[in-house]
Amino acid sequence: TFGTGCLECKQDNDHANILLCERCNAEYHTYCLDPPLRAVPIGDWYCDKCISWTEIMGEDDGLDELVNALSPEYTS
């Protein structure tokens, strides 16, 4: 189940270095990936299982555009 920590090392610690897949919500430490990442990337991140889906469908899910269309009273 997701929300229980890194799927590679099975540890629920070091949350500052946990990545959350934008599509499936899988959790991984940056250093448990192969190859490991030096830092949490800026922007959306997809696990290996979901990256091919985003390449086919495109990374933009349209959510940013919808949120930006909302008035500030709903986004503050």
Side-chain angles (χ1 to χ4, degrees):
T1 57
F2 299 117
T4 58
C6 178
L7 293 178
E8 285 296 318
C9 71
K10 312 297 187 235
Q11 299 294 311
D12 188 15
N13 60 8
D14 197 10
H15 296 133
N17 287 301
I18 286 274
L19 298 173
L20 185 65
C21 177
E22 293 293 327
R23 183 163 184 262
C24 73
N25 292 323
E27 298 178 22
Y28 296 90
H29 289 115
T30 55
Y31 43 81
C32 289
L33 298 172
D34 184 22
L37 296 178
R38 291 183 183 206
V40 174
I42 296 172
D44 293 341
W45 177 82
Y46 298 91
C47 70
D48 286 343
K49 294 175 186 171
C50 293
I51 194 70
S52 60
W53 179 86
T54 59
E55 290 171 353
I56 294 167
M57 300 302 290
E59 288 187 30
D60 186 9
D61 60 6
L63 187 58
D64 289 335
E65 185 177 334
L66 292 172
V67 169
N68 290 336
L70 293 172
S71 65
E73 66 189 65
Y74 294 109
T75 60
S76 302

